[in-house]
């Protein structure tokens, strides 16, 4: 059977990024950056051990990875063979357990503040007994490459957003008057899709109660709010309350739905205009601002949205708030 199978895999793919060429090039050229999104390496970061080797970026730099729990990731080596600043990178990828060696040519082209990356990846000819790899994994290989570039897109969107805010003075101080929130408590992982789905379900339940049981009109229901008490990415745990600000005193229909109070005080705020997969970006921006400007934060953080996205692929727009110690 191997006699009839392909001797190698050859893939060509391109991707546009809304970032200047220097930012995009650095993600490929600096290996600690590359490991955050690169092909296969980031699929199981908890169980993947990575070693970096001098000079850590540019020509001659390399890394090795090892994952004993996931055979698809396995062991391998990534090495930059040639690097020309903001123009071109030639690299080699070796999958140790399958004996597959890939040569990757990456070209960078700038168009104002946008960058186009074109990748041509080709494996060396397989031996007679490893040609089965091409048959089983050629389609998966291209999917993995496309997925890794999508991860890079998400990372660079966050970089772009933070840069815009830092340059445009997007963070402001306000006097927050406090609110009473009719909400449902949720505990999920720190995965953005789990948080989104849980919050979406809670907001639907509360909205249905307000309109069906209490006969609120849609115009009377205020903007949705999520109040986070715990965001622990290391422990993979998020605890939050999602609901609506309610001025009147009403009796919640069940123990799952309760009132909590967000107290008044001085707060810092920043606009939210992200994809759902960047759900925690605004929190990070405020925490970094506080750190850089010696602002002391209270453990009271919430987000108010213009409306909650109906799909996980939609934009999420609104404002984020952090109470501070005056």
């Amino acid at each position: 059977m191997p006699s009839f199978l392909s001797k190698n895999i050859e893939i060509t793919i391109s991707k546009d990024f809304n970032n200047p060429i220097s930012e995009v090039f650095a993600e490929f050229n600096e290996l600690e950056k590359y490991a955050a999104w690169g092909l296969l390496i980031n699929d199981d970061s908890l169980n993947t051990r990575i070693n970096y080797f001098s000079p850590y970026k540019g020509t001659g730099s390399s890394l090795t990875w090892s994952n004993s729990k996931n055979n698809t990731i396995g062991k391998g080596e990534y090495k930059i063979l040639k690097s020309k600043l903001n123009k071109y990178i030639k690299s080699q990828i070796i999958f140790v357990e399958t004996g597959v060696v890939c040569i990757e040519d990456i070209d960078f082209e700038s168009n104002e503040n946008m960058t186009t990356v074109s990748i041509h990846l080709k494996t060396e000819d397989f031996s007679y007994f490893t040609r089965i790899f091409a048959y089983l994994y050629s389609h998966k290989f291209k999917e993995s490459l496309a997925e890794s570039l999508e991860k890079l897109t998400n990372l660079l969107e966050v970089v772009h957003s933070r840069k815009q805010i830092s340059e445009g003075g997007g963070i402001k101080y306000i006097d927050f008057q406090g609110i009473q929130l009719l909400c449902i408590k949720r505990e999920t992982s720190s995965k953005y899709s789990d948080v989104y789905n849980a919050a979406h379900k809670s907001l639907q339940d509360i909205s249905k109660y307000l309109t069906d049981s209490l006969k609120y009109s849609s115009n009377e229901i205020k903007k949705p709010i999520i109040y986070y008490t715990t965001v622990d990415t290391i422990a993979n745990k998020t605890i939050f309350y999602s609901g609506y600000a309610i001025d009147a005193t009403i009796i919640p229909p069940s123990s799952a739905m309760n009132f909590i109070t967000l107290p008044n005080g001085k707060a810092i705020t920043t606009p939210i205009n992200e994809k759902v997969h960047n759900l925690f970006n605004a929190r990070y921006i405020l925490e970094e601002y506080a750190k850089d400007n010696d602002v002391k934060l209270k453990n009271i953080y919430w987000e108010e949205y213009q409306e909650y996205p109906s799909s996980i692929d939609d934009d999420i727009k609104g404002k984020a708030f952090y109470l501070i110690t005056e």
Side-chain angles (χ1 to χ4, degrees):
M1 182 177 176
S3 300
F4 299 97
L5 298 178
S6 173
K7 293 182 179 180
N8 56 51
I9 296 173
E10 190 166 359
I11 297 170
T12 300
I13 191 170
S14 63
K15 186 76 174 177
D16 293 327
F17 299 93
N18 294 317
N19 300 76
I21 195 168
S22 58
E23 291 178 4
V24 180
F25 181 83
E27 293 291 335
F28 289 83
N29 195 56
E30 299 176 23
L31 295 188
E32 285 191 299
K33 292 180 179 288
Y34 176 82
W37 60 268
L39 181 65
L40 294 180
I41 296 172
N42 190 248
D43 285 354
D44 181 15
S45 57
L46 290 177
N47 296 306
T48 302
R49 180 175 180 178
I50 301 174
N51 293 313
Y52 301 94
F53 299 93
S54 179
Y56 308 112
K57 65 179 180 179
T59 302
S61 60
S62 64
L63 65 80
T64 61
W65 76 84
S66 176
N67 188 311
S68 59
K69 295 186 177 181
N70 189 323
N71 292 331
T72 302
I73 299 174
K75 299 178 180 179
E77 177 184 355
Y78 180 86
K79 184 174 184 178
I80 297 179
L81 304 177
K82 185 177 180 180
S83 175
K84 187 174 181 181
L85 182 64
N86 296 339
K87 295 290 185 182
Y88 170 76
I89 290 176
K90 187 183 190 71
S91 61
Q92 180 187 66
I93 308 172
I94 301 174
F95 298 92
V96 173
E97 292 170 334
T98 56
V100 173
V101 179
C102 309
I103 299 297
E104 186 177 45
D105 293 292
I106 311 168
D107 292 292
F108 302 83
E109 184 177 346
S110 176
N111 182 10
E112 296 182 351
N113 281 329
M114 291 189 62
T115 303
T116 299
V117 177
S118 301
I119 298 176
H120 177 254
L121 187 148
K122 184 178 181 180
T123 65
E124 293 182 355
D125 286 352
F126 299 118
S127 68
Y128 178 80
F129 294 104
T130 58
R131 290 182 193 176
I132 195 69
F133 178 90
Y135 178 74
L136 293 176
Y137 295 108
S138 58
H139 68 287
K140 176 63 178 175
F141 207 62
K142 187 170 185 178
E143 287 176 6
S144 296
L145 182 57
E147 287 172 3
S148 68
L149 291 178
E150 192 60 35
K151 291 176 186 175
L152 177 57
T153 298
N154 297 340
L155 286 173
L156 288 173
E157 282 181 359
V158 173
V159 170
H160 182 66
S161 175
R162 292 172 184 163
K163 186 176 180 181
Q164 281 186 318
I165 289 174
S166 64
E167 292 176 349
I171 294 177
K172 298 179 179 179
Y173 291 81
I174 65 166
D175 290 313
F176 178 64
Q177 299 305 310
I179 57 174
Q180 179 180 242
L181 191 66
L182 178 64
C183 57
I184 295 175
K185 182 180 179 180
R186 297 286 189 179
E187 183 173 336
T188 72
S189 73
S190 295
K191 190 176 180 182
Y192 72 88
S193 57
D194 290 341
V195 175
Y196 166 82
N197 289 328
H200 192 271
K201 177 65 167 60
S202 296
L203 293 170
Q204 280 186 324
D205 290 346
I206 297 171
S207 178
K208 182 176 175 62
Y209 169 64
L210 293 175
T211 55
D212 292 356
S213 299
L214 301 183
K215 306 305 178 184
Y216 274 56
S217 68
S218 57
N219 293 332
E220 291 179 294
I221 300 177
K222 298 183 180 181
K223 296 175 181 178
I225 292 174
I226 296 183
Y227 165 56
Y228 292 90
T229 60
T230 301
V231 178
D232 190 337
T233 55
I234 296 176
N236 195 27
K237 180 180 180 181
T238 305
I239 301 174
F240 59 95
Y241 297 80
S242 46
Y244 298 92
I246 301 293
D247 297 327
T249 300
I250 61 176
I251 300 175
S254 69
S255 59
M257 198 179 296
N258 286 293
F259 281 106
I260 64 170
T261 299
L262 300 184
N264 59 0
K266 200 83 170 179
I268 51 174
T269 179
T270 189
I272 301 172
N273 187 6
E274 307 281 359
K275 294 291 185 183
V276 174
H277 56 239
N278 291 329
L279 196 61
F280 300 123
N281 187 39
R283 183 187 183 103
Y284 178 88
I285 289 170
L286 290 177
E287 289 177 348
E288 285 295 298
Y289 175 87
K291 180 180 178 181
D292 294 341
N293 293 275
D294 196 27
V295 176
K296 295 182 180 179
L297 300 175
K298 295 182 179 180
N299 188 29
I300 300 177
Y301 172 83
W302 71 98
E303 297 180 358
E304 178 185 274
Y305 308 121
Q306 294 178 11
E307 59 182 24
Y308 201 69
S310 57
S311 166
I312 202 166
D313 298 317
D314 291 343
D315 292 340
I316 187 165
K317 297 181 179 181
K319 293 182 178 180
F321 303 85
Y322 236 127
L323 279 190
I324 64 175
T325 301
E326 298 183 57

